[in-house]
Amino acid sequence: MKKIILSGAVAAVLVPNLHAEVFELGKINVASELNEEKVFEQTTTEETIQRDSAVTVSEALDNVSGVTQDTQGGRAESTLYIRGFDARRIGFFIDGVPVYVPYDGNFDYGRFLTTDIAEIDVSKGYSSVAYGANTMGGVINVISKKPTKALEGSIRSHVVFDSDAGFAKQVSALNVGTLQENYYIQLGANYAKQDHFRLSDDFEPTAYQPSGDRLRSETEDQKVNLKAGYFIDENTELALGYINQKGEKQQPPATDTEFSKEKYWDWPYWDKETIYLNGQKTFDHSYLKAVLYYDKFKNSLYSYDDENYNTFSKKYAFKSKYNDYSYGARLSYGTEIGKHMVTLSANYKTDVHRGYDIDKTDSTTTMIEKYEDRTLSFGVEDAYRLSDQLELLGGISYDRKEGEYAYDEDSATAGIPLGTQDTYNPQIALVYKADASSIYRASIARKTYLTSMKDRYSRRLGSAEPNPDLESEKSTHFELSYDKKIDNTQIGITGFIARVDDAIQNVLLSDSGTPGDTKDDLFQNQNIGEFEHRGIELDLNYKGDSFQAGGNYTYLSLVNKSDNDAKLTDVPKHQLFAYVQKELTPNLSLYGNVKMRKGAYEQKMDRTYVINPTFTTLDAKVVYTPWEDLTAEFGIKNITDKYYAYDSAFPMPGREFFVTMEYKF
């Protein structure tokens, strides 16, 4: 087995010219001795993120095959889908620590900037059981930086101007680190402020939105990411990490009330705080790895009377806040036994959600709901070397979620019983390395979504009946893939099918009786759905001395196998990303990319389905490097000023200009 941890002195000798490396303690990968690279994880590096000028995590991963960005305008959120599975069914981790929202699993990836990221690992079907529960749709693990020199860092500034040359947004970032003989310290800090974005000139004004600047599109985010590590000896490393993130965002109005009702919302704060202790000890043929963590999420939502955003007298107006937290631990042990590499893992996690009503007049708070879940996961995985070219991978996990406490305002009379969910998740894969440049993979993986607090308990402002006995969703992933490297060209093709059983769907319990009027209808989440996700992913990349090009194409068909007409929305049937970069001189290069999205369903307010219009966007930039550690970029996003929207009631920005400066030391 390879040594994973290097001492500070050895690392400094081996990698003297790097500006930060990957924080290895934060990684969780499928174990394999056959392939030196990652077997099933797809990695987006810092270099790729900067090449594509991706400011947020959602922008960075939208360029990965099988991954789709979507903007949920009604929540002012940027979210992600993996092969058609939404954010609630995807595990999101930072340095191996789960940080998705406890209450409903939804996550705003647009709040997370990329300036302090070393790489992002994406697992789609087959993933390590060491992640624990709730990886039914895949896993996203954001890995931070780790210093390689006594003093290193970077200062970065990114400024965006709208199509009318008005200031629209700025992003500032600082990264600084030190690596000494027995310890290291890494600090990342960033600040982003969006004043507005401007709509395409092709946008036709409505009663709710004039042409020009998008109303109420202001956001503000700031984050500090601090990590300190200590080398006890050559084979033992400990790291203490602290992340503090604060955000604030406005809710733009819906431009088309056929797709979304008009809401007058604001989020006065959207804050996360995480602290973790990570450690690893390596032996001659084994290792022991552990992490302890505490994650806190707080946000507030105001619903105003009207477009003036200053009063709360209407029935639908309210002020509320969430105060959620999670704590837990993971322990992993890996060892070589003959031709086997066996990994044992255990995960424990407690999630607590507390919802409060804020009085409209005197701002006093009253707890209106509190839920608590406990989740356990035990896993074992094995990599068995059948020959020099063939490896058999396998694993199984037992996941269990127990409802520990449930209360809302109505439970004093109606009561909320507690439920328990548990499941086994086996998986198996065969990896064949035909030669040094070719690898084949075949896998079957069973994954489960243990339902969220919101799925089971939420009354949705009186429109839903809780279902605490709601069962978990189950998916079986079948995948075949082939990767080939020919000189400077890397080719990849993957075919997959994911069968979903017991899918959760919203069932009408009682009808108001008025056609088109759903405000008095009563619904309940039930396990009645059955879907099949089928698709192909193609990846092609070429990298020469002065020219590189590449991209990917994803075809995805979402088939409803149930006896109803429900459709999975917001996921395109066809998605294309392609880029080229040409070095004109040693100091000057040109870059451009194209994105195409086609065939995503949307649901209108009357519950009918339509297909979102196809759109294609073009970006380009000039990159100038006067000397090795200074880079300047000038670019244009959405060159053609294309009018497009992921959600038809919430259009995206038109043409934008940007300038980026970065100095590394």
Side-chain angles (χ1 to χ4, degrees), residues 42 51 79 88 118 288 294 313 323 396 422 474 497 538 540 646 649 656:
Q42 195 165 349
R51 181 200 70 195
T79 188
R88 294 180 299 158
L288 184 65
Y294 175 82
S313 60
N323 191 350
I396 188 170
D422 66 340
K474 304 168 185 66
I497 298 175
L538 303 174
L540 178 64
Y646 298 100
E656 292 184 323

Side-chain angles (χ1 to χ4, degrees), residues 233-244:
D233 55 43
E234 186 182 34
N235 300 313
T236 310
E237 179 181 352
L238 291 175
L240 179 65
Y242 174 73
I243 304 171
N244 189 310

